[in-house]
Amino acid sequence: MEHKHHHFSPLAQPSQLSPLSQPGPGKPFQCPPADPIMTDPERVVRDFYHPQRVQVIHPIQIVNRHHCVPVYEHVYTCSEVDEYCGTHPHPHQGMLREK
């Protein structure tokens, strides 16, 4: 930081001082008021933090998988036949006959 300084003339001689600022009996010497010196401004940074919402998107893909699973269903078929049973011994007795 650079400071700007003003140059002042060397201290004034007592003969050049105003009568109020000249030392006298019982009166101490007082310097006249000086002009203020202005310096370059100093920068003071104050950080403030505020919440900021940010959406984070998580895509989800649902996969519906279809599987064929064998389930046994028992189906019974029925057929009907006629048997010949005679009272005489017959060589083909007890055998099936188709209609």
Side-chain angles (χ1 to χ4, degrees):
M1 180 181 311
E2 196 175 303
H3 293 281
K4 293 182 183 176
H5 296 284
H6 298 283
H7 285 313
F8 295 101
S9 63
L11 185 59
Q13 300 298 321
S15 61
Q16 297 173 335
L17 295 175
S18 71
L20 293 176
S21 57
Q22 288 185 9
K27 185 174 183 188
F29 175 79
Q30 289 185 341
C31 294
D35 291 334
I37 299 172
M38 179 66 76
T39 64
D40 290 334
E42 291 187 39
R43 183 177 163 161
V44 176
V45 176
R46 298 188 317 165
D47 293 315
F48 295 90
Y49 297 91
H50 303 278
Q52 180 185 27
R53 294 180 61 149
V54 177
Q55 289 186 346
V56 178
I57 299 173
H58 300 271
I60 297 174
Q61 181 184 42
I62 298 174
V63 177
N64 295 319
R65 295 175 14 164
H66 300 271
H67 302 271
C68 293
V69 178
V71 176
Y72 298 108
E73 178 183 344
H74 297 276
V75 178
Y76 298 93
T77 60
C78 184
S79 62
E80 183 177 328
V81 294
D82 291 324
E83 291 183 357
Y84 174 73
C85 301
T87 55
H88 312 293
H90 189 275
H92 300 304
Q93 188 177 358
M95 294 191 71
L96 298 176
R97 284 190 172 172
E98 291 187 29
K99 286 187 170 185

